[in-house]
Amino acid sequence: MSDSHPPYGGPSDPNAGQPWGPPPGQPVSGQPWGPPPGQPISGQPDPYGYGQPGYQQQQPGFPPPQYATPVQPPKKNRGLMIGLGVGAATVALLALCGVGVGVIVANGDEDDPTPPPVASTSAPGGNDPSAAPSETGTPDTDTPNNNNAVTARYSSDFDAVCEGNPILNAAAYSAPAGSKAYTFYNSPSRPESWSLRSTGYGKSYYAKSDEFDKVSVVGCLKYQDGSEGEGRKCQLKDSSDKIITIDYVSSRYTLTFYAAKTAQKIGDGGTVNAPAVRCPSFVTYNKATMKAYASPDTGAIEAALDKFLG
């Protein structure tokens, strides 16, 4: 009998009848069965993407994770806040201009009952001191070689001539006789601002405000520096009905005539006084100095126009 098999009834094999492999639920050598979580079996395809980056093995009994993008906070309406800020800045700027308006308290001394017109700004380039009206050239040139020539829409636009800027749609000047004219005067506190001074009603040179296209002559009354006289004390009511006292000041102006279409000098009108013999019924004044300046004398302006254009 061969020794390769135990005899019948001999000692039994302790592993006989046991299944191959480790007991149920027990790993071999402390290692789990199969590949590590998330790794495919070597040499086998990974059809479910378990081995791809970012894959997380879901544990049994737990719901899958949820994802959401952050909600952007609503933008604030900064346009409204900026607009309010600009409006407040504009109000503050007007308050700092230092210009007041007063009316006379007693009408015993009344000089000029007509309120002075609102000062208008000069045309582009008018703030340049070197841009004075020209004294040479041909006055009746139809197309002036000047980049600052403007087209007038109102009579007040003719103040540009006093800053050396021609008026393109003004009437051509040929001779004093038969010409129509506007006159302007500047402010001692703001020399670049000019106000229309209407004189000579009924005369041949008189032009209404809507007849500016017929005007060929502009008379410019320029304030003479250092001509300021002693102020006259006048009591007025300001815009808040508060009684104030201002110095109403006299001065002198120099009148010069220019061709409106070319801004070239065509004549002299001499010196015109701005008397302050009586307190006005309406006046603008400087809040810092409490001064108001008298306007050029209407009668003197008319006399100069009669002499030059009559």
Side-chain angles (χ1 to χ4, degrees):
M1 179 178 295
S2 173
D3 294 332
S4 59
H5 297 282
Y8 180 81
S12 62
D13 186 352
N15 294 323
Q18 299 294 332
W20 290 97
Q26 297 296 325
V28 179
S29 302
Q31 298 296 327
W33 286 95
Q39 299 295 330
I41 300 175
S42 177
Q44 297 298 325
D46 186 12
Y48 300 102
Y50 295 152
Q52 299 300 321
Y55 171 77
Q56 294 181 354
Q57 185 176 11
Q58 181 179 336
Q59 298 298 326
F62 292 91
Q66 302 295 321
Y67 300 94
T69 57
V71 178
Q72 297 293 334
K75 295 183 179 180
K76 296 181 179 180
N77 191 353
R78 298 183 179 272
L80 178 59
M81 293 186 290
I82 293 175
L84 292 176
V86 172
T90 303
V91 174
L93 179 61
L94 293 176
L96 293 175
C97 289
V99 177
V101 178
V103 294
I104 194 70
V105 176
N107 293 326
D109 291 334
E110 187 171 329
D111 182 12
D112 186 3
T114 304
V118 178
S120 59
T121 57
S122 60
N127 292 336
D128 185 359
S130 63
S134 173
E135 299 186 11
T136 60
T138 304
D140 59 351
T141 301
D142 290 338
T143 308
N145 185 20
N146 190 318
N147 292 338
N148 290 329
V150 298
T151 299
R153 296 180 298 168
Y154 309 99
S155 58
S156 59
D157 293 334
F158 277 69
D159 68 344
V161 176
C162 298
E163 293 291 335
N165 305 319
I167 304 298
L168 294 174
N169 56 335
Y173 173 79
S174 57
S179 296
K180 291 188 178 296
Y182 286 145
T183 55
F184 294 86
Y185 68 98
N186 68 346
S187 169
S189 57
R190 296 183 60 192
E192 73 282 358
S193 297
W194 299 82
S195 299
L196 180 64
R197 189 69 166 173
S198 182
T199 57
Y201 180 78
K203 302 293 183 70
S204 61
Y205 54 79
Y206 177 80
K208 298 178 181 179
S209 59
D210 59 351
E211 295 179 329
F212 57 84
D213 57 342
K214 299 179 181 180
V215 172
S216 60
V217 175
V218 173
C220 299
L221 291 147
K222 185 176 181 181
Y223 171 77
Q224 291 183 0
D225 293 332
S227 66
E228 180 178 317
E230 183 177 356
R232 178 184 181 89
K233 301 296 183 181
C234 295
Q235 284 191 332
L236 306 168
K237 282 186 178 181
D238 62 10
S239 57
S240 61
D241 288 336
K242 178 183 177 181
I243 297 178
I244 59 174
T245 302
I246 65 167
D247 289 326
Y248 190 50
V249 181
S250 63
S251 61
R252 292 188 302 274
Y253 286 79
T254 301
L255 175 59
T256 307
F257 296 107
Y258 299 93
K261 199 172 186 66
T262 61
Q264 294 172 356
K265 180 180 176 180
I266 55 177
D268 292 310
T271 300
V272 175
N273 290 337
V277 294
R278 291 186 296 271
C279 293
S281 57
F282 181 90
V283 70
T284 59
Y285 63 96
N286 188 306
K287 286 185 177 181
T289 62
M290 297 301 290
K291 287 183 179 180
Y293 291 87
S295 301
D297 181 53
T298 303
I301 298 174
E302 187 171 331
L305 288 169
D306 289 342
K307 182 179 180 179
F308 182 71
L309 300 177

mmCIF file of all heavy atoms in Angstrom, residues 265-309:
data_model
loop_
_atom_site.group_PDB
_atom_site.id
_atom_site.type_symbol
_atom_site.label_atom_id
_atom_site.label_comp_id
_atom_site.label_asym_id
_atom_site.label_seq_id
_atom_site.Cartn_x
_atom_site.Cartn_y
_atom_site.Cartn_z
ATOM 1 N N LYS A 265 -11.306 148.081 -34.733
ATOM 2 C CA LYS A 265 -11.607 149.415 -34.215
ATOM 3 C C LYS A 265 -11.915 150.376 -35.356
ATOM 4 O O LYS A 265 -11.194 150.431 -36.358
ATOM 5 C CB LYS A 265 -10.427 149.928 -33.399
ATOM 6 C CG LYS A 265 -10.643 151.314 -32.808
ATOM 7 C CD LYS A 265 -9.435 151.749 -32.015
ATOM 8 C CE LYS A 265 -9.614 153.188 -31.498
ATOM 9 N NZ LYS A 265 -8.439 153.623 -30.709
ATOM 10 N N ILE A 266 -13.001 151.160 -35.168
ATOM 11 C CA ILE A 266 -13.379 152.134 -36.195
ATOM 12 C C ILE A 266 -13.536 153.548 -35.624
ATOM 13 O O ILE A 266 -13.722 154.504 -36.398
ATOM 14 C CB ILE A 266 -14.687 151.724 -36.898
ATOM 15 C CG1 ILE A 266 -15.810 151.522 -35.880
ATOM 16 C CG2 ILE A 266 -14.478 150.458 -37.733
ATOM 17 C CD1 ILE A 266 -17.167 151.192 -36.506
ATOM 18 N N GLY A 267 -13.453 153.720 -34.292
ATOM 19 C CA GLY A 267 -13.571 155.064 -33.745
ATOM 20 C C GLY A 267 -13.501 155.091 -32.233
ATOM 21 O O GLY A 267 -13.582 154.054 -31.562
ATOM 22 N N ASP A 268 -13.311 156.299 -31.691
ATOM 23 C CA ASP A 268 -13.265 156.531 -30.247
ATOM 24 C C ASP A 268 -14.484 157.327 -29.811
ATOM 25 O O ASP A 268 -14.935 158.234 -30.505
ATOM 26 C CB ASP A 268 -11.992 157.295 -29.865
ATOM 27 C CG ASP A 268 -10.734 156.457 -30.059
ATOM 28 O OD1 ASP A 268 -10.706 155.311 -29.567
ATOM 29 O OD2 ASP A 268 -9.790 156.945 -30.725
ATOM 30 N N GLY A 269 -14.981 156.987 -28.633
ATOM 31 C CA GLY A 269 -16.144 157.688 -28.097
ATOM 32 C C GLY A 269 -15.835 158.512 -26.869
ATOM 33 O O GLY A 269 -16.750 159.113 -26.286
ATOM 34 N N GLY A 270 -14.575 158.552 -26.442
ATOM 35 C CA GLY A 270 -14.180 159.374 -25.309
ATOM 36 C C GLY A 270 -14.469 158.705 -23.970
ATOM 37 O O GLY A 270 -14.693 157.492 -23.869
ATOM 38 N N THR A 271 -14.513 159.538 -22.932
ATOM 39 C CA THR A 271 -14.723 159.070 -21.567
ATOM 40 C C THR A 271 -16.177 159.267 -21.155
ATOM 41 O O THR A 271 -16.772 160.316 -21.436
ATOM 42 C CB THR A 271 -13.801 159.820 -20.593
ATOM 43 O OG1 THR A 271 -12.441 159.590 -20.959
ATOM 44 C CG2 THR A 271 -14.015 159.341 -19.163
ATOM 45 N N VAL A 272 -16.715 158.258 -20.496
ATOM 46 C CA VAL A 272 -18.101 158.302 -20.020
ATOM 47 C C VAL A 272 -18.095 158.072 -18.517
ATOM 48 O O VAL A 272 -17.513 157.090 -18.028
ATOM 49 C CB VAL A 272 -18.962 157.237 -20.726
ATOM 50 C CG1 VAL A 272 -20.370 157.211 -20.125
ATOM 51 C CG2 VAL A 272 -19.034 157.502 -22.230
ATOM 52 N N ASN A 273 -18.740 158.950 -17.771
ATOM 53 C CA ASN A 273 -18.809 158.804 -16.321
ATOM 54 C C ASN A 273 -19.867 157.774 -15.915
ATOM 55 O O ASN A 273 -20.856 157.560 -16.628
ATOM 56 C CB ASN A 273 -19.134 160.138 -15.660
ATOM 57 C CG ASN A 273 -17.995 161.131 -15.733
ATOM 58 O OD1 ASN A 273 -16.838 160.741 -15.884
ATOM 59 N ND2 ASN A 273 -18.317 162.415 -15.652
ATOM 60 N N ALA A 274 -19.655 157.175 -14.750
ATOM 61 C CA ALA A 274 -20.651 156.303 -14.110
ATOM 62 C C ALA A 274 -20.972 156.929 -12.762
ATOM 63 O O ALA A 274 -20.389 156.566 -11.733
ATOM 64 C CB ALA A 274 -20.106 154.893 -13.950
ATOM 65 N N PRO A 275 -21.880 157.890 -12.722
ATOM 66 C CA PRO A 275 -22.135 158.650 -11.496
ATOM 67 C C PRO A 275 -22.937 157.852 -10.472
ATOM 68 O O PRO A 275 -23.773 157.016 -10.814
ATOM 69 C CB PRO A 275 -22.937 159.860 -11.998
ATOM 70 C CG PRO A 275 -23.623 159.357 -13.225
ATOM 71 C CD PRO A 275 -22.704 158.349 -13.847
ATOM 72 N N ALA A 276 -22.653 158.152 -9.201
ATOM 73 C CA ALA A 276 -23.383 157.525 -8.090
ATOM 74 C C ALA A 276 -23.982 158.627 -7.221
ATOM 75 O O ALA A 276 -23.801 158.648 -5.998
ATOM 76 C CB ALA A 276 -22.445 156.636 -7.287
ATOM 77 N N VAL A 277 -24.700 159.558 -7.844
ATOM 78 C CA VAL A 277 -25.228 160.716 -7.125
ATOM 79 C C VAL A 277 -26.459 160.362 -6.305
ATOM 80 O O VAL A 277 -26.768 161.049 -5.319
ATOM 81 C CB VAL A 277 -25.560 161.849 -8.124
ATOM 82 C CG1 VAL A 277 -24.289 162.364 -8.767
ATOM 83 C CG2 VAL A 277 -26.540 161.372 -9.187
ATOM 84 N N ARG A 278 -27.188 159.324 -6.691
ATOM 85 C CA ARG A 278 -28.376 158.905 -5.950
ATOM 86 C C ARG A 278 -28.345 157.386 -5.783
ATOM 87 O O ARG A 278 -27.850 156.665 -6.655
ATOM 88 C CB ARG A 278 -29.657 159.317 -6.682
ATOM 89 C CG ARG A 278 -29.890 160.823 -6.698
ATOM 90 C CD ARG A 278 -31.247 161.153 -7.314
ATOM 91 N NE ARG A 278 -31.305 160.747 -8.712
ATOM 92 C CZ ARG A 278 -30.931 161.522 -9.720
ATOM 93 N NH1 ARG A 278 -30.438 162.730 -9.478
ATOM 94 N NH2 ARG A 278 -31.056 161.102 -10.961
ATOM 95 N N CYS A 279 -28.912 156.907 -4.682
ATOM 96 C CA CYS A 279 -28.971 155.464 -4.447
ATOM 97 C C CYS A 279 -29.948 154.828 -5.426
ATOM 98 O O CYS A 279 -31.021 155.390 -5.686
ATOM 99 C CB CYS A 279 -29.411 155.170 -3.010
ATOM 100 S SG CYS A 279 -28.208 155.661 -1.755
ATOM 101 N N PRO A 280 -29.604 153.683 -5.971
ATOM 102 C CA PRO A 280 -30.479 153.029 -6.949
ATOM 103 C C PRO A 280 -31.628 152.295 -6.261
ATOM 104 O O PRO A 280 -31.611 152.036 -5.059
ATOM 105 C CB PRO A 280 -29.538 152.044 -7.646
ATOM 106 C CG PRO A 280 -28.572 151.668 -6.567
ATOM 107 C CD PRO A 280 -28.367 152.902 -5.735
ATOM 108 N N SER A 281 -32.643 151.968 -7.057
ATOM 109 C CA SER A 281 -33.764 151.196 -6.526
ATOM 110 C C SER A 281 -33.496 149.694 -6.589
ATOM 111 O O SER A 281 -34.161 148.916 -5.901
ATOM 112 C CB SER A 281 -35.044 151.520 -7.308
ATOM 113 O OG SER A 281 -34.849 151.250 -8.693
ATOM 114 N N PHE A 282 -32.541 149.300 -7.399
ATOM 115 C CA PHE A 282 -32.193 147.890 -7.549
ATOM 116 C C PHE A 282 -30.721 147.823 -7.919
ATOM 117 O O PHE A 282 -30.255 148.570 -8.784
ATOM 118 C CB PHE A 282 -33.047 147.239 -8.653
ATOM 119 C CG PHE A 282 -32.766 145.773 -8.868
ATOM 120 C CD1 PHE A 282 -33.462 144.809 -8.155
ATOM 121 C CD2 PHE A 282 -31.805 145.367 -9.778
ATOM 122 C CE1 PHE A 282 -33.210 143.459 -8.364
ATOM 123 C CE2 PHE A 282 -31.551 144.028 -9.995
ATOM 124 C CZ PHE A 282 -32.253 143.065 -9.277
ATOM 125 N N VAL A 283 -29.987 146.933 -7.276
ATOM 126 C CA VAL A 283 -28.553 146.874 -7.538
ATOM 127 C C VAL A 283 -28.002 145.508 -7.128
ATOM 128 O O VAL A 283 -28.563 144.845 -6.240
ATOM 129 C CB VAL A 283 -27.809 147.992 -6.770
ATOM 130 C CG1 VAL A 283 -27.799 147.720 -5.266
ATOM 131 C CG2 VAL A 283 -26.391 148.172 -7.291
ATOM 132 N N THR A 284 -26.942 145.087 -7.783
ATOM 133 C CA THR A 284 -26.182 143.917 -7.338
ATOM 134 C C THR A 284 -24.930 144.401 -6.629
ATOM 135 O O THR A 284 -24.351 145.420 -7.018
ATOM 136 C CB THR A 284 -25.796 143.019 -8.529
ATOM 137 O OG1 THR A 284 -25.008 143.776 -9.454
ATOM 138 C CG2 THR A 284 -27.034 142.468 -9.228
ATOM 139 N N TYR A 285 -24.515 143.691 -5.602
ATOM 140 C CA TYR A 285 -23.380 144.131 -4.812
ATOM 141 C C TYR A 285 -22.499 142.939 -4.447
ATOM 142 O O TYR A 285 -22.917 141.789 -4.534
ATOM 143 C CB TYR A 285 -23.839 144.848 -3.535
ATOM 144 C CG TYR A 285 -24.621 143.978 -2.575
ATOM 145 C CD1 TYR A 285 -23.996 143.354 -1.498
ATOM 146 C CD2 TYR A 285 -25.980 143.745 -2.760
ATOM 147 C CE1 TYR A 285 -24.706 142.546 -0.629
ATOM 148 C CE2 TYR A 285 -26.694 142.927 -1.896
ATOM 149 C CZ TYR A 285 -26.051 142.338 -0.828
ATOM 150 O OH TYR A 285 -26.746 141.506 0.016
ATOM 151 N N ASN A 286 -21.281 143.240 -4.044
ATOM 152 C CA ASN A 286 -20.316 142.235 -3.635
ATOM 153 C C ASN A 286 -20.450 142.008 -2.133
ATOM 154 O O ASN A 286 -20.285 142.948 -1.342
ATOM 155 C CB ASN A 286 -18.890 142.692 -3.990
ATOM 156 C CG ASN A 286 -17.854 141.607 -3.775
ATOM 157 O OD1 ASN A 286 -17.756 141.039 -2.693
ATOM 158 N ND2 ASN A 286 -17.078 141.329 -4.799
ATOM 159 N N LYS A 287 -20.744 140.763 -1.731
ATOM 160 C CA LYS A 287 -20.945 140.482 -0.304
ATOM 161 C C LYS A 287 -19.665 140.621 0.513
ATOM 162 O O LYS A 287 -19.714 140.901 1.709
ATOM 163 C CB LYS A 287 -21.508 139.072 -0.127
ATOM 164 C CG LYS A 287 -22.969 138.923 -0.522
ATOM 165 C CD LYS A 287 -23.476 137.520 -0.208
ATOM 166 C CE LYS A 287 -24.954 137.388 -0.519
ATOM 167 N NZ LYS A 287 -25.473 136.034 -0.207
ATOM 168 N N ALA A 288 -18.526 140.405 -0.121
ATOM 169 C CA ALA A 288 -17.261 140.486 0.613
ATOM 170 C C ALA A 288 -16.882 141.932 0.895
ATOM 171 O O ALA A 288 -16.438 142.278 1.997
ATOM 172 C CB ALA A 288 -16.162 139.776 -0.177
ATOM 173 N N THR A 289 -17.044 142.821 -0.095
ATOM 174 C CA THR A 289 -16.649 144.225 0.071
ATOM 175 C C THR A 289 -17.833 145.125 0.389
ATOM 176 O O THR A 289 -17.632 146.292 0.760
ATOM 177 C CB THR A 289 -15.981 144.726 -1.219
ATOM 178 O OG1 THR A 289 -16.924 144.651 -2.303
ATOM 179 C CG2 THR A 289 -14.762 143.869 -1.568
ATOM 180 N N MET A 290 -19.065 144.612 0.204
ATOM 181 C CA MET A 290 -20.290 145.402 0.388
ATOM 182 C C MET A 290 -20.257 146.652 -0.492
ATOM 183 O O MET A 290 -20.677 147.738 -0.089
ATOM 184 C CB MET A 290 -20.489 145.780 1.855
ATOM 185 C CG MET A 290 -20.675 144.580 2.788
ATOM 186 S SD MET A 290 -22.113 143.555 2.310
ATOM 187 C CE MET A 290 -23.463 144.640 2.741
ATOM 188 N N LYS A 291 -19.777 146.457 -1.734
ATOM 189 C CA LYS A 291 -19.730 147.547 -2.704
ATOM 190 C C LYS A 291 -20.621 147.226 -3.898
ATOM 191 O O LYS A 291 -20.754 146.078 -4.302
ATOM 192 C CB LYS A 291 -18.297 147.779 -3.197
ATOM 193 C CG LYS A 291 -17.371 148.426 -2.189
ATOM 194 C CD LYS A 291 -16.005 148.685 -2.813
ATOM 195 C CE LYS A 291 -15.070 149.363 -1.805
ATOM 196 N NZ LYS A 291 -13.733 149.628 -2.404
ATOM 197 N N ALA A 292 -21.194 148.295 -4.466
ATOM 198 C CA ALA A 292 -21.937 148.200 -5.717
ATOM 199 C C ALA A 292 -21.473 149.348 -6.606
ATOM 200 O O ALA A 292 -21.246 150.465 -6.120
ATOM 201 C CB ALA A 292 -23.434 148.283 -5.471
ATOM 202 N N TYR A 293 -21.295 149.059 -7.905
ATOM 203 C CA TYR A 293 -20.765 150.058 -8.826
ATOM 204 C C TYR A 293 -21.876 150.636 -9.695
ATOM 205 O O TYR A 293 -22.730 149.912 -10.198
ATOM 206 C CB TYR A 293 -19.680 149.444 -9.711
ATOM 207 C CG TYR A 293 -18.417 149.102 -8.957
ATOM 208 C CD1 TYR A 293 -18.284 147.882 -8.320
ATOM 209 C CD2 TYR A 293 -17.368 150.020 -8.877
ATOM 210 C CE1 TYR A 293 -17.130 147.571 -7.622
ATOM 211 C CE2 TYR A 293 -16.209 149.718 -8.185
ATOM 212 C CZ TYR A 293 -16.092 148.486 -7.550
ATOM 213 O OH TYR A 293 -14.951 148.184 -6.858
ATOM 214 N N ALA A 294 -21.829 151.950 -9.866
ATOM 215 C CA ALA A 294 -22.808 152.635 -10.702
ATOM 216 C C ALA A 294 -22.574 152.291 -12.170
ATOM 217 O O ALA A 294 -21.451 151.997 -12.592
ATOM 218 C CB ALA A 294 -22.711 154.136 -10.484
ATOM 219 N N SER A 295 -23.632 152.323 -12.956
ATOM 220 C CA SER A 295 -23.549 152.037 -14.387
ATOM 221 C C SER A 295 -23.173 153.302 -15.156
ATOM 222 O O SER A 295 -23.413 154.431 -14.695
ATOM 223 C CB SER A 295 -24.895 151.509 -14.889
ATOM 224 O OG SER A 295 -25.268 150.344 -14.191
ATOM 225 N N PRO A 296 -22.595 153.136 -16.351
ATOM 226 C CA PRO A 296 -22.261 154.310 -17.171
ATOM 227 C C PRO A 296 -23.494 155.152 -17.464
ATOM 228 O O PRO A 296 -24.603 154.637 -17.628
ATOM 229 C CB PRO A 296 -21.675 153.688 -18.451
ATOM 230 C CG PRO A 296 -21.203 152.332 -18.042
ATOM 231 C CD PRO A 296 -22.149 151.868 -16.982
ATOM 232 N N ASP A 297 -23.290 156.456 -17.528
ATOM 233 C CA ASP A 297 -24.388 157.402 -17.718
ATOM 234 C C ASP A 297 -25.012 157.243 -19.102
ATOM 235 O O ASP A 297 -24.326 157.304 -20.135
ATOM 236 C CB ASP A 297 -23.858 158.827 -17.536
ATOM 237 C CG ASP A 297 -24.938 159.862 -17.701
ATOM 238 O OD1 ASP A 297 -25.981 159.758 -17.031
ATOM 239 O OD2 ASP A 297 -24.748 160.780 -18.523
ATOM 240 N N THR A 298 -26.330 157.023 -19.124
ATOM 241 C CA THR A 298 -27.039 156.805 -20.380
ATOM 242 C C THR A 298 -26.969 158.021 -21.297
ATOM 243 O O THR A 298 -26.773 157.901 -22.517
ATOM 244 C CB THR A 298 -28.506 156.448 -20.095
ATOM 245 O OG1 THR A 298 -28.558 155.297 -19.266
ATOM 246 C CG2 THR A 298 -29.248 156.160 -21.388
ATOM 247 N N GLY A 299 -27.113 159.217 -20.725
ATOM 248 C CA GLY A 299 -27.073 160.434 -21.531
ATOM 249 C C GLY A 299 -25.723 160.638 -22.194
ATOM 250 O O GLY A 299 -25.656 161.059 -23.370
ATOM 251 N N ALA A 300 -24.640 160.327 -21.479
ATOM 252 C CA ALA A 300 -23.306 160.487 -22.057
ATOM 253 C C ALA A 300 -23.068 159.485 -23.190
ATOM 254 O O ALA A 300 -22.427 159.805 -24.201
ATOM 255 C CB ALA A 300 -22.247 160.313 -20.966
ATOM 256 N N ILE A 301 -23.564 158.253 -23.033
ATOM 257 C CA ILE A 301 -23.418 157.253 -24.093
ATOM 258 C C ILE A 301 -24.168 157.695 -25.345
ATOM 259 O O ILE A 301 -23.663 157.613 -26.472
ATOM 260 C CB ILE A 301 -23.934 155.880 -23.619
ATOM 261 C CG1 ILE A 301 -23.121 155.379 -22.435
ATOM 262 C CG2 ILE A 301 -23.890 154.870 -24.762
ATOM 263 C CD1 ILE A 301 -23.659 154.103 -21.815
ATOM 264 N N GLU A 302 -25.391 158.184 -25.161
ATOM 265 C CA GLU A 302 -26.191 158.619 -26.300
ATOM 266 C C GLU A 302 -25.546 159.796 -27.012
ATOM 267 O O GLU A 302 -25.562 159.874 -28.258
ATOM 268 C CB GLU A 302 -27.598 158.979 -25.824
ATOM 269 C CG GLU A 302 -28.566 159.291 -26.948
ATOM 270 C CD GLU A 302 -29.996 159.425 -26.446
ATOM 271 O OE1 GLU A 302 -30.336 158.788 -25.435
ATOM 272 O OE2 GLU A 302 -30.765 160.188 -27.082
ATOM 273 N N ALA A 303 -24.945 160.696 -26.262
ATOM 274 C CA ALA A 303 -24.270 161.834 -26.887
ATOM 275 C C ALA A 303 -23.086 161.382 -27.726
ATOM 276 O O ALA A 303 -22.840 161.919 -28.820
ATOM 277 C CB ALA A 303 -23.819 162.822 -25.812
ATOM 278 N N ALA A 304 -22.348 160.382 -27.247
ATOM 279 C CA ALA A 304 -21.206 159.871 -28.009
ATOM 280 C C ALA A 304 -21.668 159.153 -29.278
ATOM 281 O O ALA A 304 -21.019 159.269 -30.339
ATOM 282 C CB ALA A 304 -20.385 158.930 -27.143
ATOM 283 N N LEU A 305 -22.779 158.409 -29.199
ATOM 284 C CA LEU A 305 -23.317 157.745 -30.382
ATOM 285 C C LEU A 305 -23.820 158.764 -31.406
ATOM 286 O O LEU A 305 -23.637 158.582 -32.625
ATOM 287 C CB LEU A 305 -24.455 156.797 -29.966
ATOM 288 C CG LEU A 305 -24.053 155.524 -29.215
ATOM 289 C CD1 LEU A 305 -25.280 154.828 -28.640
ATOM 290 C CD2 LEU A 305 -23.288 154.570 -30.127
ATOM 291 N N ASP A 306 -24.463 159.837 -30.928
ATOM 292 C CA ASP A 306 -24.934 160.895 -31.830
ATOM 293 C C ASP A 306 -23.763 161.499 -32.592
ATOM 294 O O ASP A 306 -23.859 161.791 -33.810
ATOM 295 C CB ASP A 306 -25.658 161.977 -31.051
ATOM 296 C CG ASP A 306 -27.018 161.519 -30.522
ATOM 297 O OD1 ASP A 306 -27.533 160.499 -31.039
ATOM 298 O OD2 ASP A 306 -27.554 162.164 -29.612
ATOM 299 N N LYS A 307 -22.668 161.713 -31.897
ATOM 300 C CA LYS A 307 -21.507 162.351 -32.516
ATOM 301 C C LYS A 307 -20.830 161.451 -33.532
ATOM 302 O O LYS A 307 -20.415 161.926 -34.608
ATOM 303 C CB LYS A 307 -20.526 162.744 -31.417
ATOM 304 C CG LYS A 307 -19.281 163.459 -31.938
ATOM 305 C CD LYS A 307 -18.368 163.843 -30.779
ATOM 306 C CE LYS A 307 -17.117 164.563 -31.313
ATOM 307 N NZ LYS A 307 -16.207 164.969 -30.196
ATOM 308 N N PHE A 308 -20.743 160.138 -33.237
ATOM 309 C CA PHE A 308 -20.019 159.245 -34.132
ATOM 310 C C PHE A 308 -20.893 158.710 -35.273
ATOM 311 O O PHE A 308 -20.429 158.595 -36.421
ATOM 312 C CB PHE A 308 -19.446 158.063 -33.343
ATOM 313 C CG PHE A 308 -18.649 157.106 -34.163
ATOM 314 C CD1 PHE A 308 -17.395 157.453 -34.661
ATOM 315 C CD2 PHE A 308 -19.146 155.839 -34.457
ATOM 316 C CE1 PHE A 308 -16.660 156.574 -35.438
ATOM 317 C CE2 PHE A 308 -18.407 154.942 -35.238
ATOM 318 C CZ PHE A 308 -17.162 155.321 -35.720
ATOM 319 N N LEU A 309 -22.147 158.400 -35.004
ATOM 320 C CA LEU A 309 -23.005 157.753 -36.001
ATOM 321 C C LEU A 309 -24.054 158.692 -36.597
ATOM 322 O O LEU A 309 -24.750 158.290 -37.548
ATOM 323 C CB LEU A 309 -23.727 156.557 -35.362
ATOM 324 C CG LEU A 309 -22.837 155.448 -34.802
ATOM 325 C CD1 LEU A 309 -23.670 154.374 -34.136
ATOM 326 C CD2 LEU A 309 -21.985 154.840 -35.918
#
